[in-house]
Amino acid sequence: MVPEGITRRWPQITEDERAAVLRVLDSGVLSGSLAPEVRALEKEFAEYTGARHCLSTNSGTSALHIAVAAAGIQPGDEVITSAFTFLASALAVLHHNAIPVFADIDPMTFNIDPKEIDRRITPRTRAIMPVHIHGLPADMDEILSIARRHNLIVIEDAAQAHGALYKGRRVGTIGDMGAFSIQSSKNLSAGEGGLFVTNEDGFHHRANCVRQFGEEAADTSLAGVDPDRPLDDLRDYNAVMMGWMYRMTSLTAAVARCQLARLDEFNRNAARNAEYLTERLSKLDLVAPPSVPADRTSVFHKYRVRLHPERLGAAMEPTGFRTALIQALRQEGVEVVLWQTTPVPSQILFQKQLGYGGGCPWKCQNSSVRYQEEDYPRTRELLDNSIVIGSQSAPLAAQNLGLMRYYGDAFEKVLADRDTLIRMARDASRST
């Protein structure tokens, strides 16, 4: 049984963050793309990732949206992304009146399967949006090869993968553009916010316009910020394209800078805890720990365990076993949750294709794209047969190794009592 009081909450806030917030308040510069804290965060994150450019935004979703806009995606164009992701990946496409197309996953990495991408390319396809799910990089070499062959833009959804490496390169800088979230649950957390990166000047310029009302060169004032008049600037107030207001606040940037300074520490801790759990769980036949190919690293934003109820030799629904195992582990004090319970294309938004109303953008653009559950069998199988160890409030990145030992003990205890698990699983199936 996990003792009370040893689980650490996330995010971890120190005196550094408190001092940074007070510094911003004392400065009086709370907002604006030229705000010193905002500019400093963009510079530091660009250096961290190795990107030439970084733009801060007010969410990971908006960072993805400005990337879609910068790519020149037009109404009715198609963007291929993973069926196993958070809804924001697809919403960023819909926000630009384009059509998300979903591809099934590799069952070992849980990331988008490049072979499935190839099958879904049509004359309308303009971009691929691989998602580095749970902090593990997707198969970027294969994805880039497909993109080059079909002249497609690659936008990395790195919302969960700050600091992860693919063949020695930080994610977000491998494709044409990358987008990160710094929402509170992420390994790099600051409440709500996002970060966009690219090495291309043109993408940077267009993304910057989109994030600030569509105004041309909205943040190039040589005067910078006058601390006595922080709300005044030399903008022309002349929009040249569709734009939104996606800027980050100075308070968010200040917290993010403190958290960025500790990001590698958080990631190392998550990796150490994951390594320990993998060693323990790999010896148990009813579960399988996540797999990390040798050519990349995971930052283990989430630690997803696959379940094998078929090895019990008893008839039961997979979701019944999943429910029973969660219940039993929680009784032992283990933080265990579900994260996503259905493929994104199975959500009502895509099944009914309501969109903006009147079926747009699908009907308005004469799109033939439909979303059938049977097109994503590996995503469905994963979600029915897996659980996540740790929660958004208590992820692996925050915990000490002692807690992982209790988790390993709990798994061994619960899985050893097979008769009880079978009974609980059948009860759970009957109640649904």
Side-chain angles (χ1 to χ4, degrees):
M1 173 71 71
V2 176
E4 291 187 9
I6 71 168
T7 302
R8 297 173 178 172
R9 287 189 58 189
W10 189 262
Q12 295 185 345
I13 303 299
T14 70
E15 289 304 315
D16 290 342
E17 284 83 2
R18 295 183 180 93
V21 168
L22 289 176
R23 181 178 68 239
V24 172
L25 294 176
D26 289 342
S27 76
V29 185
L30 304 184
S31 64
S33 59
L34 288 170
E37 294 289 341
V38 170
R39 277 298 178 88
L41 173 63
E42 292 171 344
K43 179 178 182 294
E44 290 162 7
F45 194 71
E47 291 173 349
Y48 178 82
T49 59
R52 182 172 180 178
H53 302 288
C54 175
L55 295 170
S56 58
T57 63
N58 55 14
S59 72
T61 308
S62 56
L64 281 171
H65 183 201
I66 65 174
V68 169
I73 303 299
Q74 299 295 308
D77 286 348
E78 295 174 2
V79 178
I80 300 174
T81 192
S82 177
F84 179 44
T85 183
F86 182 63
L87 176 63
S89 308
L91 286 182
V93 178
L94 288 174
H95 286 170
H96 221 61
N97 220 12
I99 310 296
V101 173
F102 298 96
D104 209 358
I105 61 170
D106 179 322
M108 295 302 295
T109 66
F110 314 152
N111 278 316
I112 192 168
D113 185 341
K115 295 187 293 295
E116 294 295 311
I117 295 174
D118 236 348
R119 292 180 53 231
R120 284 163 173 75
I121 291 175
T122 74
R124 284 190 167 193
T125 306
R126 294 293 178 269
I128 305 170
M129 185 187 290
V131 181
H132 305 308
I133 200 71
H134 296 353
L136 178 68
D139 296 324
M140 291 304 297
D141 281 355
E142 292 87 344
I143 292 168
L144 290 172
S145 176
I146 294 169
R148 285 192 293 267
R149 194 161 65 246
H150 295 278
N151 194 30
L152 304 176
I153 299 293
V154 175
I155 301 167
E156 296 177 69
D157 183 342
Q160 300 181 352
H162 322 71
L165 298 175
Y166 178 83
K167 298 186 176 181
R169 297 180 63 186
R170 298 231 191 249
V171 296
T173 65
I174 302 167
D176 296 289
M177 291 170 275
F180 299 79
S181 168
I182 56 172
Q183 182 264 349
S184 292
S185 71
K186 304 302 189 293
N187 291 30
L188 175 59
S189 60
E192 296 287 354
L195 295 161
F196 161 97
V197 296
T198 185
N199 290 317
E200 295 295 327
D201 295 348
F203 291 143
H204 170 254
H205 177 76
R206 290 196 293 275
N208 193 29
C209 289
V210 172
R211 115 179 138 141
Q212 300 186 100
F213 307 105
E215 294 178 17
E216 186 80 42
D219 68 346
T220 57
S221 164
L222 296 177
V225 174
D226 181 347
D228 293 325
R229 305 178 66 83
L231 300 182
D232 297 312
D233 55 39
L234 300 180
R235 287 162 56 190
D236 291 334
Y237 292 95
N238 182 25
V240 297
M241 62 175 70
M242 276 292 292
W244 284 258
M245 209 306 283
Y246 282 159
R247 295 194 306 253
M248 180 183 289
T249 70
S250 297
L251 292 168
T252 299
V255 173
R257 291 181 68 197
C258 296
Q259 294 279 306
L260 178 58
R262 301 164 64 201
L263 175 59
D264 286 342
E265 173 192 342
F266 295 146
N267 287 346
R268 283 193 298 269
N269 197 52
R272 180 202 62 180
N273 288 336
E275 182 180 9
Y276 178 84
L277 284 176
T278 295
E279 181 183 1
R280 294 284 298 269
L281 299 186
S282 62
K283 300 172 184 176
L284 306 175
D285 68 332
L286 296 181
V287 297
S291 175
V292 180
D295 61 356
R296 65 202 77 175
T297 66
S298 176
V299 298
F300 291 101
H301 172 63
K302 299 189 188 300
Y303 186 91
R304 182 173 292 272
V305 176
R306 292 205 71 142
L307 311 179
H308 291 285
E310 73 280 2
R311 295 174 182 172
L312 284 169
M316 69 181 71
E317 292 294 325
T319 53
F321 178 73
R322 184 189 68 188
T323 300
L325 184 57
I326 289 174
Q327 181 181 347
L329 288 170
R330 286 178 176 170
Q331 289 173 352
E332 296 297 317
V334 177
E335 286 276 339
V336 55
V337 298
L338 299 176
W339 185 82
Q340 307 295 312
T341 57
T342 189
V344 170
S346 296
Q347 294 186 25
I348 293 171
L349 168 64
F350 301 100
Q351 291 301 298
K352 293 189 175 182
Q353 294 190 335
L354 299 176
Y356 299 104
C360 291
W362 294 276
K363 287 185 180 179
C364 295
Q365 305 303 328
N366 298 314
S367 172
S368 62
V369 172
R370 299 294 181 269
Y371 306 104
Q372 306 296 329
E373 174 89 11
E374 56 267 26
D375 289 337
Y376 323 103
R378 291 186 295 230
T379 301
R380 168 52 69 188
E381 182 184 14
L382 173 68
L383 293 173
D384 287 349
N385 290 276
S386 65
I387 56 177
V388 174
I389 306 306
S391 64
Q392 302 211 133
S393 298
L396 263 59
Q399 310 310 322
N400 62 38
L401 196 57
L403 181 61
M404 298 302 104
R405 294 191 180 99
Y406 284 112
Y407 282 7
D409 293 345
F411 266 91
E412 291 173 359
K413 175 183 176 181
V414 167
L415 294 179
D417 191 354
R418 298 189 173 211
D419 290 341
T420 298
L421 275 176
I422 291 170
R423 175 181 54 78
M424 292 174 65
R426 288 173 172 167
D427 288 346
S429 296
R430 283 193 291 267
S431 66
T432 58

